[in-house]
Amino acid sequence: MLDAAVRSFARHGYQAASMDEIAELAGVSKPLVYLYLNSKEELFTAVIRREAQALLGVVAEAVVGRGGPPDERLWAGLLAFFSYAAEHPDAWTVLSLRARTQGEPFAGEAARMRDEITAFVAGLIGEAAREARGGGGVAGRAGAAVGGREVEALAQALVGSAESLASWANATPGVTAKEAAATLMDFAWSGLGNLMKSERWSPR
């Protein structure tokens, strides 16, 4: 039933999705859908929560279950993220587009997922910053160490880029999850590497 709902909401959006179509796709009666989930709102919420937890699960497993330096774990997390989006395009459409554009309470569910992924990324960036600081790197704009707010800002920028790139990759024939993840690593970690060496861009 939830699989059918994912397909329908991805194709049509929340408002246009039909409970009749969802029941037909699931091979059950419409009253049975309402028996398990009392309304379309509850069904959409259940879909968002299930897919968000699935995405968070694969990213967490890739990042937490892997040893090594922060860049290798970030790579593993990004690869897991892009692979999930590529292998579950309807689920990604629901999470990245449908939930966020429909307003509350759906946007809040998607925002919680994003916050958890951002926390993973911020932890990795912060760890890299601490390691570099121990080796004499990571100075701030005025020579101070990179602080929590800057780490959070960098994590927000990286996650936002990943979301946009995943949607583009899914819509662009021939782009693989590995290629998308490598593109973002090339773009992001090179810049982060300069920060770790206290090399910053500044306006002239």
Side-chain angles (χ1 to χ4, degrees):
M1 191 184 307
L2 290 178
D3 290 340
V6 169
R7 293 197 298 273
S8 185
F9 287 129
R11 294 173 187 172
H12 309 300
Y14 174 72
Q15 294 293 347
S18 162
M19 295 293 272
D20 289 311
E21 180 190 63
I22 291 170
E24 182 179 349
L25 288 171
V28 300
S29 67
K30 185 176 176 181
L32 185 60
V33 176
Y34 280 109
L35 178 64
Y36 283 98
L37 294 148
N38 296 322
S39 66
K40 187 163 76 168
E41 179 178 326
E42 286 190 18
L43 179 58
F44 193 38
T45 300
V47 163
I48 296 168
R49 287 177 179 171
R50 189 188 75 162
E51 300 309 323
Q53 286 305 310
L55 175 55
L56 287 168
V58 298
V59 172
E61 183 178 2
V63 173
V64 177
R66 182 188 181 100
D71 63 319
E72 291 184 6
R73 281 182 284 143
L74 179 60
W75 161 252
L78 286 176
L79 184 57
F81 176 88
F82 283 107
S83 294
Y84 184 88
E87 293 165 9
H88 304 85
D90 287 342
W92 179 245
T93 296
V94 168
L95 293 174
S96 65
L97 177 62
R98 304 304 188 193
R100 291 177 179 175
T101 57
Q102 190 54 45
E104 295 299 340
F106 313 121
E109 296 287 343
R112 278 186 283 276
M113 174 201 71
R114 191 180 196 277
D115 288 344
E116 289 195 43
I117 292 177
T118 303
F120 276 123
V121 173
L124 294 173
I125 295 173
E127 183 179 340
R130 288 189 295 273
E131 288 181 3
R133 188 181 308 138
V138 195
R141 295 192 182 280
V146 170
R149 188 168 74 172
E150 187 164 16
V151 168
E152 172 67 15
L154 291 168
Q156 290 283 350
L158 185 56
V159 172
S161 298
E163 291 171 339
S164 178
L165 186 56
S167 295
W168 174 83
N170 276 6
T172 304
V175 178
T176 67
K178 187 173 183 178
E179 289 170 338
T183 295
L184 190 55
M185 279 297 293
D186 285 340
F187 176 74
W189 201 260
S190 295
L192 288 169
N194 287 335
L195 283 178
M196 302 311 159
K197 295 183 291 185
S198 303
E199 298 175 4
R200 292 171 175 269
W201 177 87
S202 61
R204 292 178 176 79

